[in-house]
Every structure is written in structure tokens, then in C-alpha cells.
């Protein structure tokens, strides 16, 4: 059974593993120096703790583990900004990322937010395709 929840700090190591593993694909489009500059593959517990001060986190869990993670924030009264959205590498393409995206959109709707925005690397064709498939421009 799948469940979307707000993670606790005890979940942070599992989230870090998921995100850092999923970010490995960026090594196909970034040089080693570029990847280091943007922080690809080196998320830490401290990063999540610090980020939780300004962002909200959601995880999608099955009965055994966290299979997807999203981070977002209310940028202003009209805008939700998605900071990140990751799905476990072996489970991508099954609609799990879309489930988290819909949950963020529901949050926006409940808070009378007019727009949900995000930014992704143009060369990350898999990410661009995911967002286009989900109605983003």
C-alpha cells in the first residue's frame, strides 16, 4: 500500500540515499566539476535539516521503504516552488513522481495558490519529459 507522508528526521538517511542514487544520472550531462558545483550526489542530513526551515518535504512510501521524495516551498502567496522531486531509480516510470506532484498541486489549491513552478536542467531530458507529461511548460 502506498502512502504519502511528511518525513521525520529518522527518515533523512533513507531520503539521502534515494536522492543521491537518483542524481547519479546527472553525471551523464555534467562534468565532474559542474556536478560538484551544483551539489549533485552529495546531499547530507544537515542539508535536509537546514532545508526543512524553509521547505516542506513529502515522501511516498510503500510498506517497506521510501520510494519517492519531494521538496517544495510557498515562495509567495501566489506561488509554490518545487525544489526537488526524486523517485527511486528502479521504480521510475510507474507514476510515483506524478503522485507526489499531484499532492503538491493539492497543497497549492488548498492554499489558494495560483501557480506551481520549478526549474530543471534543459539537458535533463528525462526530467523535462516528466514535467511536460504532467502538464508543465
Amino acid at each position: 500500500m502506498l502512502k504519502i507522508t511528511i518525513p521525520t528526521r529518522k527518515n533523512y538517511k533513507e531520503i539521502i540515499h534515494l536522492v543521491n542514487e537518483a542524481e547519479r544520472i546527472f553525471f551523464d550531462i555534467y562534468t565532474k566539476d559542474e556536478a560538484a558545483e551544483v551539489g549533485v550526489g552529495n546531499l547530507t542530513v544537515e542539508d535536509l535539516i537546514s532545508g526543512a526551515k524553509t521547505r516542506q518535504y513529502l515522501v511516498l512510501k510503500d510498506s517497506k521503504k521510501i520510494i519517492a521524495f519531494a521538496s517544495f516551498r510557498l515562495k509567495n502567496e501566489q506561488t509554490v516552488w518545487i525544489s526537488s522531486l526524486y523517485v527511486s531509480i528502479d521504480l521510475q516510470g510507474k507514476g510515483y513522481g506524478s503522485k507526489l506532484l499531484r499532492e503538491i498541486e493539492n497543497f497549492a489549491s488548498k492554499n489558494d495558490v495560483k501557480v506551481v513552478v520549478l526549474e530543471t536542467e534543459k539537458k535533463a531530458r528525462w526530467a523535462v519529459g516528466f514535467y511536460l507529461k504532467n502538464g508543465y511548460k
Side-chain angles (χ1 to χ4, degrees):
M1 181 161 145
L2 298 175
K3 184 176 180 180
I4 295 175
T5 63
I6 297 169
T8 63
R9 283 193 184 180
K10 72 178 186 168
N11 301 125
Y12 283 7
K13 285 188 180 184
E14 189 176 357
I15 291 167
I16 289 164
H17 178 73
L18 182 149
V19 170
N20 288 339
E21 285 294 312
E23 282 190 340
R24 285 185 176 191
I25 195 167
F26 283 97
F27 290 114
D28 292 340
I29 62 170
Y30 289 139
T31 66
K32 192 174 185 177
D33 290 340
E34 290 170 334
E37 185 177 316
V38 296
V40 168
N42 65 1
L43 184 69
T44 66
V45 169
E46 292 77 23
D47 293 332
L48 288 176
I49 291 169
S50 177
K53 295 174 186 169
T54 58
R55 292 175 179 80
Q56 296 186 48
Y57 299 148
L58 292 175
V59 293
L60 179 63
K61 298 172 93 172
D62 65 13
S63 59
K64 298 177 185 175
K65 64 180 183 172
I66 294 172
I67 59 175
F69 167 75
S71 169
F72 64 98
R73 68 184 174 94
L74 194 57
K75 184 174 181 178
N76 57 47
E77 62 187 38
Q78 294 185 1
T79 309
V80 166
W81 183 273
I82 299 174
S83 305
S84 60
L85 195 153
Y86 293 95
V87 176
S88 181
I89 293 172
D90 57 334
L91 297 172
Q92 292 177 0
K94 298 180 185 279
Y96 300 138
S98 296
K99 286 184 184 302
L100 278 182
L101 197 54
R102 297 290 93 76
E103 189 69 22
I104 294 168
E105 291 167 350
N106 288 339
F107 168 87
S109 179
K110 289 176 188 174
N111 287 280
D112 295 322
V113 172
K114 306 293 182 222
V115 65
V116 176
V117 297
L118 59 101
E119 182 177 1
T120 193
E121 170 64 50
K122 187 183 229 179
K123 293 181 203 173
R125 292 187 182 128
W126 65 92
V128 172
F130 167 77
Y131 290 112
L132 288 173
K133 182 178 98 177
N134 280 281
Y136 286 74
K137 298 176 185 169

